Amino acid sequence: MKLDSPGAPHSEPLASEEWTMEMTQEANQYISIVKRDSTPMCRLSIVVTNKSEAEARTELAEKARRWIREYLERDAQPPKRV
């Protein structure tokens, strides 16, 4: 799936089409696997109570977009000299 459903609230920039997220649930923990071109890049999770699956997905998608932004910024910076 894309990182979130259309119209969901977000504060992080939307990710390009190459980024997707799979979500699973174990009790009250939601886990997402963030992928770039079908390659797993990271795992994120949240523990929630009294939230729907859609609300948890939106929260995880926001975390995923934040991680993607930070990852791309890190990748674009020149290496530090030691």
Side-chain angles (χ1 to χ4, degrees), residues 3-4 12-13 15 19-21 32-35 42-44 57-71:
L3 290 179
D4 204 7
E12 290 294 329
W19 293 96
T20 58
M21 179 178 88
S32 69
I33 300 171
V34 179
K35 297 180 178 185
C42 83
R43 288 174 61 109
L44 302 167
R57 181 178 54 249
T58 296
E59 193 171 326
L60 277 170
E62 185 72 2
K63 283 183 77 167
R65 285 190 294 270
R66 184 175 311 114
W67 182 89
I68 291 166
R69 178 181 50 81
E70 291 170 356
Y71 172 81

Side-chain angles (χ1 to χ4, degrees), residues 9-43:
H10 63 277
S11 60
E12 290 294 329
L14 296 178
S16 62
E17 295 287 323
E18 67 195 86
W19 293 96
T20 58
M21 179 178 88
E22 290 179 9
M23 188 176 84
T24 60
Q25 180 183 3
E26 296 175 10
N28 62 345
Q29 181 181 23
Y30 289 87
I31 302 162
S32 69
I33 300 171
V34 179
K35 297 180 178 185
R36 185 180 198 182
D37 292 326
S38 301
T39 302
M41 299 295 289
C42 83
R43 288 174 61 109

